[in-house]
Amino acid sequence: MGYPLWVRFEYRNEVGSVIGLTASVCSEADFLDVLERCGVTRSNLLTVRINDKDYSVSRLDALFTKLQLQTEGRESP
């Protein structure tokens, strides 16, 4: 997958509402930032579209792993 990308997510927020998000991302760092800022996790993600094509949620597992490592790295002293 080359950048830039148009991504569309549908995910459940902390109160259970379904939220839709469309964003343009220009790098993997941007992609991770969008996921983190919106609170999108592997478990609350419902649908993924990239460049107007459907993707399975599992195709983003590597990004969620990087996001988790990145977040854990900031939390450790």
Side-chain angles (χ1 to χ4, degrees), residues 41-60:
T41 64
R42 174 69 168 85
S43 61
N44 71 1
L45 187 57
L46 303 172
T47 63
V48 179
R49 289 185 63 82
I50 299 175
N51 291 339
D52 211 24
K53 295 179 184 171
D54 291 324
Y55 280 79
S56 66
V57 173
S58 64
R59 298 236 0 224
L60 298 182

Side-chain angles (χ1 to χ4, degrees), residues 13-45:
N13 67 7
E14 62 277 351
V15 295
S17 298
V18 175
I19 305 293
L21 166 75
T22 302
S24 175
V25 294
C26 296
S27 67
E28 184 176 277
D30 288 346
F31 209 138
L32 293 171
D33 187 54
V34 167
L35 294 174
E36 183 176 19
R37 286 179 186 262
C38 295
V40 178
T41 64
R42 174 69 168 85
S43 61
N44 71 1
L45 187 57

